[in-house]
């Protein structure tokens, strides 16, 4: 019994001793594991801290490098090649349809070096230029030495419209900037001031790039729906942390309209003086009207090579040339030998034979009718010339040929204008219109002399011309606020009937001058006869409320405008501003003269406005802000008072009020404010299903304050020079 107890106690003691020793061992092991994991966490933390430190270091160097280059670079050469390709091709498509019928199309197909997909080259554009820079006084100019284009754009040429559009859409990218302006949007640069909060960075590896050891960083937006890039940074692993290479891609979820894919590759090289400069800048963009990624469309490839960085003294006469862009006289007539010497990227065999390809396209039955219809649809005008004999007279706008209003009923109009192919200084435009309801002809004619030679249309920047216009037409008071033609068929559809209109007979002389600094002046002399019609009457402010048949005015006005850095896209109908970052200031004063050419009133009217676009950080969109104010200083009848900018169409017109009826308010003092916030899909891109629609959020706030002083209020003044307006068959308002 004792032996059994002793054995049991011994076993228990062994177990206890083993358990204690095991526990102590486990504790020691746990402490060792905790210590090792702490070391791991320390390494992870050091790695996590390294990324923003590295990015900040690169950012600091970028700022230094940008400042250095801007101070020393005096000249560099730039060679740009732009290829446009049809990219909706598959082996199956090549065996049927038009490709099977016309074998030369199939012969033109090649494989894209960037996407490895089948493409059909349809256009090649090349530009050779030199950029010069002077620090004191600061001046930067681009001298275009040569331009060459082949392909289908020969059928779609409106001055420099296509080139201007492509230049704006495929703008030069500088990753040193905080924000990158591209595709009419702003993207956060991967090394910008807001980059750390906008992007997530991953430290991948160290590797050799062009025989230099680099740190490889990848970056993605914190939110994939935001307007930012995904890509890679290759940063030198030395004390400079200079960027050796950068690749950027547009995330598919960002939902940029018409862009299915975009790839950017930039390569930098070191100059003998130690500065790093941009050497290669390649961009590939897939465009499509459809949101379906497989539907195809166009692929645009832009290849840009920078070379010949020079720091030698530059002839000062070059800086005295007018404008930031100077075109050499023979830029369009450079020889093949010249292009062979400056071309950095050789043309493929298919691109070299583009002329042959275009000629064979022209032989396809019905091709000219397809081009005719496409040009009319795109340009809203019909040309009367051909490829060999450029159009001297264009017919249009097409969308004004038929419309309607309360007075005309159904309205037919034929318009036309001469082009610079007719004369580079003299331009003639006008229209004739006929209303089936009132059975009256309306017309307008304008003769313009441009002091500058034009490429196609008279309103190319910078404008400098004098014009004379005579017109007779029916108008509503709100027509003058429209940014588009009042006869636009889409504007004929109104939210309510506009029955208060006038027959206007105008004789006008205009002088316009724009400077390269953004300052402009417009002077106008106008004689106008205003005859109310429809349900509009003018009543004199007397006891009998005598009906006024018409009102005649003679006036002169001057408008001063300042819009630094503004640039435009020229269409055949108008020009559209594309760079809206700078503020726009306008000041107008108009004077009326009683007794001059039948003018019935003296008046003075002053109006001023400021417009500015503000870009919000981190892809939060943009805000357009406008402030206006004006005053009519004299006693005038109500047709000469200030009307709010009413818009009764279903088409949005900038800075107009869509909920104000025609002539609902009349003022002789006013102030207005307009705020438009475009979030650019910041919210909708995060909502399932809705983001597939590619809708964009737009918030608008518009406010108006106006007053009518007693001297211009016919209900508070007995001045017979005043007038009231009345609706026919309704009481006086």
């Amino acid at each position: 019994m004792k032996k059994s107890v002793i054995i049991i106690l011994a076993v228990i003691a062994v177990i206890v001793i083993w358990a204690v020793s095991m526990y102590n061992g486990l504790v020691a092991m746990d402490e060792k594991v905790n210590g090792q994991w702490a070391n791991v966490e320390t390494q992870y933390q050091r790695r996590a801290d390294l990324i923003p430190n590295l990015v900040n270091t690169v950012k600091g160097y970028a700022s230094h490098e940008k400042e250095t280059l801007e101070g020393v670079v005096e000249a560099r050469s730039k060679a740009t090649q732009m290829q446009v390709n049809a990219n909706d091709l598959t082996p199956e498509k090549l065996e049927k349809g038009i490709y099977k019928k016309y074998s030369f199309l199939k012969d033109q197909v090649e494989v894209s070096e960037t996407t490895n997909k089948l493409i059909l080259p349809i256009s090649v554009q090349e530009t050779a230029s030199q950029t010069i820079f002077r620090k004191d006084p600061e001046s930067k100019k681009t001298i275009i030495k040569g331009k060459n284009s082949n392909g289908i754009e020969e059928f779609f040429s409106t001055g420099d419209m296509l080139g201007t559009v492509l230049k704006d859409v495929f703008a030069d990218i500088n990753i040193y900037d905080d924000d990158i302006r591209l595709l009419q949007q702003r993207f956060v640069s991967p090394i910008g001031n807001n980059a750390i909060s906008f992007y997530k960075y991953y430290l991948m590896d160290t590797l050799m790039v062009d025989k230099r050891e680099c740190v490889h960083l990848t970056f993605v937006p914190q939110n994939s729906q935001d307007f930012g890039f995904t890509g890679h940074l290759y940063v030198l692993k030395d004390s400079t942390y200079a960027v050796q290479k950068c690749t950027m891609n547009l995330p598919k979820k960002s939902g940029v309209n018409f862009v299915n894919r975009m790839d950017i590759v930039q390569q930098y090289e070191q100059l003998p003086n130690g500065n790093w400069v941009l050497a290669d800048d390649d961009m590939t963009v897939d465009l499509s009207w459809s949101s379906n990624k497989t539907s195809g469309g166009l692929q645009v490839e832009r290849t840009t090579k920078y070379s010949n960085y020079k720091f030698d003294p530059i002839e000062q006469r070059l800086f005295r040339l007018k404008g930031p862009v100077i075109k050499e006289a023979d830029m369009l007539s450079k020889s093949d030998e010249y292009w062979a010497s400056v071309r950095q990227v050789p043309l493929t065999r298919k691109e070299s034979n583009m002329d042959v390809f275009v000629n064979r396209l022209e032989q396809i039955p019905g091709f000219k009718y397809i081009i005719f219809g496409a040009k009319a649809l795109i340009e809203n005008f019909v040309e009367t010339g051909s490829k060999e004999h450029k159009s001297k007279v264009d017919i249009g706008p097409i969308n004004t040929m038929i419309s309607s209003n309360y007075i005309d009923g159904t309205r037919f109009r034929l318009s036309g204008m001469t082009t610079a192919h007719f004369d580079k200084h003299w331009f003639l435009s006008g229209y004739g219109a006929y209303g089936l309801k009132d059975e009256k002809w309306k017309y307008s004619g304008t003769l313009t002399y441009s002091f500058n030679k034009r490429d196609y249309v008279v309103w190319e920047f910078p404008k400098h011309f004098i014009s004379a216009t005579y017109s007779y037409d029916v108008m509503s008071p709100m027509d003058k606020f429209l940014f588009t033609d009042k006869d636009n068929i889409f504007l004929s559809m109104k939210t309510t009937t506009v029955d208060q209109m006038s027959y206007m007979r105008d004789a006008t002389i205009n002088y316009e001058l724009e400077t390269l600094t953004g300052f402009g002046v417009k002077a106008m002399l106008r004689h106008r006869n205003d005859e109310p019609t429809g349900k509009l009457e003018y009543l004199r402010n007397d006891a009998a409320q005598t009906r006024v048949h018409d009102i005649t005015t003679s006036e002169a006005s001057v408008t001063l405008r300042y819009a630094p850095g503004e640039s435009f896209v020229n269409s055949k109908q108008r020009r559209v501003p594309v760079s809206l970052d700078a503020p726009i200031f306008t000041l107008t004063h108009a004077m009326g003269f009683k007794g001059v050419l039948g003018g019935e009133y003296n008046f003075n009217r002053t109006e001023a406005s400021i417009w500015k676009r503000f870009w919000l950080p981190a892809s939060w969109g943009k805000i357009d802000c406008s402030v206006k104010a004006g005053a009519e200083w004299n006693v005038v009848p109500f047709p000469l008072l200030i009307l709010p900018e009413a818009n009764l169409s279903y088409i949005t017109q900038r800075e107009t009020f869509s909920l104000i009826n025609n002539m609902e308010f009349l003022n002789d003092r006013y102030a207005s404010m307009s705020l438009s916030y475009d979030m650019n899909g910041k919210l909708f891109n995060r909502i399932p299903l809705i983001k597939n629609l590619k809708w964009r959020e737009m918030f608008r706030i518009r406010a108006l304050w106006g007053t009518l002083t007693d001297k211009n209020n016919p209900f508070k003044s007995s001045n017979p020079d005043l007038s009231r307006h009345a609706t026919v068959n309704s009481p006086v308002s």
Side-chain angles (χ1 to χ4, degrees):
M1 184 67 179
K2 287 184 177 181
K3 288 184 177 181
S4 300
V5 172
I6 293 173
I7 292 172
I8 293 171
L9 291 175
V11 171
I12 292 174
V14 171
I15 293 174
V16 170
I17 294 171
W18 178 81
V20 171
S21 66
M22 285 293 295
Y23 175 79
N24 291 334
L26 289 172
V27 170
M29 291 176 65
D30 182 65
E31 291 179 352
K32 186 176 181 179
V33 169
N34 288 336
Q36 293 295 328
W37 182 248
N39 291 334
V40 172
E41 288 182 328
T42 300
Q43 293 298 320
Y44 273 115
Q45 186 62 46
R46 290 181 62 190
R47 186 182 179 100
D49 292 340
L50 176 62
I51 293 175
N53 291 337
L54 179 60
V55 174
N56 284 323
T57 303
V58 174
K59 191 167 62 177
Y61 175 80
S63 301
H64 163 76
E65 191 70 7
K66 182 181 180 182
E67 182 178 344
T68 302
L69 282 175
E70 289 182 346
V72 301
V73 170
E74 292 188 341
R76 68 177 180 180
S77 298
K78 177 181 179 183
T80 302
Q81 190 180 101
M82 186 92 70
Q83 303 95 16
V84 181
N85 314 301
N87 68 344
D88 59 344
L89 304 179
T90 62
E92 293 76 20
K93 285 187 177 182
L94 296 179
E95 299 301 326
K96 57 184 179 182
I98 191 173
Y99 297 101
K100 184 178 181 179
K101 186 175 181 180
Y102 302 103
S103 60
F104 74 92
L105 293 174
K106 187 176 178 179
D107 296 337
Q108 184 73 7
V109 172
E110 59 185 27
V111 178
S112 171
E113 294 183 359
T114 56
T115 63
N116 290 321
K117 295 181 179 180
L118 295 176
I119 58 173
L120 176 67
I122 58 177
S123 173
V124 177
Q125 302 173 48
E126 297 178 289
T127 304
S129 62
Q130 183 185 37
T131 299
I132 60 176
F133 177 82
R134 182 180 65 188
K135 187 175 183 179
D136 189 22
E138 186 174 329
S139 179
K140 183 179 179 181
K141 296 181 181 293
T142 299
I143 304 171
I144 301 178
K145 297 181 173 297
K147 292 189 73 172
N148 185 34
S149 64
N150 293 289
I152 64 169
E153 77 274 3
E154 297 179 20
F155 302 107
F156 302 93
S157 58
T158 304
D160 197 33
M161 179 180 177
L162 182 60
T164 305
V165 172
L166 292 177
K167 180 181 178 181
D168 185 69
V169 174
F170 302 95
D172 293 335
I173 293 174
N174 187 355
I175 62 172
Y176 293 163
D177 294 334
D178 292 333
D179 296 301
I180 296 172
R181 186 178 180 274
L182 193 66
L183 301 168
Q184 292 284 302
Q185 302 295 337
R186 282 198 174 186
F187 298 80
V188 178
S189 170
I191 56 174
N193 287 330
N194 299 314
I196 296 293
S197 60
F198 185 82
Y199 290 104
K200 291 187 290 187
Y201 295 87
Y202 300 91
L203 186 60
M204 305 302 293
D205 202 353
T206 57
L207 67 161
M208 304 300 291
V209 179
D210 293 340
K211 300 181 180 180
R212 296 176 182 269
E213 189 176 15
C214 294
V215 177
H216 178 197
L217 284 171
T218 63
F219 55 90
V220 297
Q222 299 279 359
N223 192 302
S224 59
Q225 287 84 11
D226 286 340
F227 274 56
F229 299 103
T230 63
H232 306 264
L233 281 172
Y234 302 89
V235 180
L236 286 179
K237 192 180 178 182
D238 57 19
S239 59
T240 66
Y241 288 99
V243 177
Q244 171 88 19
K245 183 179 180 180
C246 177
T247 68
M248 296 186 292
N249 315 97
L250 192 67
K252 293 183 178 180
K253 294 182 179 180
S254 62
V256 178
N257 289 339
F258 314 123
V259 177
N260 289 344
R261 173 177 166 271
M262 182 172 66
D263 299 323
I264 301 166
V265 180
Q266 292 191 334
Q267 192 81 32
Y268 296 80
E269 66 178 15
Q270 191 174 28
L271 298 177
N273 63 5
N275 291 316
W276 283 85
V277 296
L278 180 62
D280 301 330
D281 184 10
D282 301 331
M283 183 186 302
T284 303
V285 181
D286 286 348
L287 303 172
S288 176
W289 292 103
S290 172
S291 59
N292 184 2
K293 305 296 183 182
T294 63
S295 64
L298 293 178
Q299 179 194 86
V300 182
E301 298 182 55
R302 189 197 67 183
T303 303
T304 304
K305 303 290 184 182
Y306 297 93
S307 61
N308 297 329
Y309 284 84
K310 296 181 179 180
F311 308 96
D312 304 324
I314 298 174
E315 296 180 64
Q316 292 302 306
R317 65 175 182 85
L318 295 176
F319 292 101
R320 292 194 292 268
L321 297 174
K322 293 183 178 180
V325 179
I326 299 120
K327 301 177 181 179
E328 292 190 350
D330 62 341
M331 70 173 187
L332 298 177
S333 57
K334 297 293 187 180
S335 64
D336 293 339
E337 291 76 18
Y338 170 82
W339 286 110
S341 65
V342 300
R343 186 179 290 127
Q344 300 290 318
V345 180
L347 297 178
T348 65
R349 183 176 63 85
K350 307 298 175 56
E351 293 168 347
S352 301
N353 296 329
M354 192 63 66
D355 286 340
V356 177
F357 171 69
V358 171
N359 290 333
R360 299 189 71 175
L361 278 178
E362 292 181 292
Q363 305 305 316
I364 297 178
F367 179 78
K368 63 180 181 180
Y369 300 108
I370 296 174
I371 294 296
F372 179 87
K375 286 174 67 69
L377 181 64
I378 295 172
E379 299 177 346
N380 202 25
F381 275 77
V382 175
E383 295 182 358
T384 60
S386 63
K387 180 182 176 183
E388 294 77 18
H389 302 91
K390 301 298 184 181
S391 178
K392 296 181 179 181
V393 178
D394 288 351
I395 306 300
I398 296 175
N399 61 9
T400 64
M401 298 184 88
I402 183 170
S403 60
S404 66
N405 60 64
Y406 183 80
I407 300 300
D408 282 306
T410 301
R411 174 183 170 106
F412 297 96
R413 168 173 153 174
L414 182 63
S415 313
M417 67 177 186
T418 63
T419 74
H421 299 304
F422 178 82
D423 193 280
K424 292 189 177 297
H425 290 282
W426 289 97
F427 294 84
L428 182 65
S429 63
Y431 66 83
Y434 185 80
L436 297 183
K437 183 178 179 181
D438 68 349
E439 299 182 341
K440 288 186 177 181
W441 282 98
K442 293 85 179 179
Y443 47 84
S444 177
T446 301
L447 178 64
T448 304
Y449 177 79
S450 175
F451 297 94
N452 303 326
K453 288 185 177 180
R454 307 284 78 178
D455 293 327
Y456 201 95
V457 290
V458 72
W459 48 82
E460 295 163 6
F461 181 86
K463 293 189 293 186
H464 188 199
F465 64 77
I466 186 169
S467 66
T469 301
Y470 188 82
S471 64
Y472 174 72
D473 207 343
V474 62
M475 299 179 63
S476 72
M478 62 178 222
D479 286 341
K480 63 181 179 180
F481 304 127
L482 301 176
F483 286 88
T484 56
D485 197 300
K486 73 179 185 66
D487 287 339
N488 186 323
I489 189 173
F490 301 105
L491 293 180
S492 302
M493 298 177 285
K494 300 288 196 298
T495 58
T496 187
T497 300
V498 179
D499 52 19
Q500 297 174 312
M501 306 184 75
S502 297
Y503 287 111
M504 295 287 191
R505 190 179 299 274
D506 280 350
T508 306
I509 297 176
N510 276 301
Y511 172 78
E512 289 195 48
L513 169 66
E514 289 178 332
T515 67
L516 298 170
T517 61
F519 176 78
V521 59
K522 178 180 179 181
M524 182 186 68
L525 298 174
R526 182 169 66 191
H527 182 269
R528 166 171 285 184
N529 180 262
D530 177 354
E531 180 186 346
T533 188
K535 294 186 177 182
L536 179 64
E537 283 189 334
Y538 299 162
L539 305 176
R540 190 171 299 279
N541 191 41
D542 54 22
Q545 296 189 4
T546 308
R547 183 177 181 271
V548 179
H549 181 267
D550 58 30
I551 292 177
T552 300
T553 56
S554 298
E555 66 179 279
S557 66
V558 176
T559 298
L560 304 179
R561 189 175 187 271
Y562 183 57
E566 192 175 32
S567 60
F568 305 89
V569 170
N570 295 317
S571 71
K572 292 185 176 183
Q573 197 167 357
R574 67 182 57 83
R575 63 178 184 177
V576 181
V578 294
S579 57
L580 299 172
D581 295 344
I584 301 173
F585 303 91
T586 59
L587 176 64
T588 300
H589 186 76
M591 299 179 63
F593 305 96
K594 185 177 182 178
V596 177
L597 299 177
E600 301 176 58
Y601 297 94
N602 290 315
F603 62 84
N604 285 271
R605 182 173 58 254
T606 305
E607 294 184 272
S609 68
I610 302 174
W611 187 94
K612 181 71 175 72
R613 170 167 290 178
F614 300 93
W615 290 91
L616 301 183
S619 77
W620 275 96
K622 58 182 180 287
I623 296 176
D624 292 341
C625 179
S626 173
V627 178
K628 298 181 179 180
E632 174 60 63
W633 306 104
N634 296 87
V635 175
V636 293
F638 87 87
L640 300 181
L641 293 174
I642 301 172
L643 299 174
E645 300 179 348
N647 175 28
L648 301 181
S649 72
Y650 292 95
I651 299 177
T652 297
Q653 300 284 323
R654 195 177 75 186
E655 302 173 16
T656 58
F657 295 88
S658 300
L659 300 179
I660 294 181
N661 290 322
N662 188 33
M663 301 178 62
E664 185 174 359
F665 298 100
L666 299 170
N667 312 294
D668 58 7
R669 306 285 191 276
Y670 85 97
S672 66
M673 180 270 293
S674 174
L675 292 175
S676 296
Y677 179 26
D678 183 2
M679 295 188 69
N680 211 8
K682 191 74 172 181
L683 298 179
F684 285 173
N685 278 351
R686 290 163 167 80
I687 303 176
L689 301 179
I690 292 182
K691 66 180 181 181
N692 296 330
L693 301 175
K694 295 192 175 182
W695 287 356
R696 301 289 183 262
E697 314 90 342
M698 177 70 75
F699 300 92
R700 290 191 174 98
I701 299 175
R702 293 168 181 166
L704 170 69
W705 171 88
T707 186
L708 187 64
T709 59
D710 291 349
K711 66 181 180 181
N712 278 315
N713 191 336
F715 298 99
K716 296 184 179 181
S717 174
S718 59
N719 192 331
D721 288 336
L722 298 179
S723 65
R724 307 180 182 186
H725 72 89
T727 301
V728 175
N729 298 323
S730 67
V732 177
S733 61

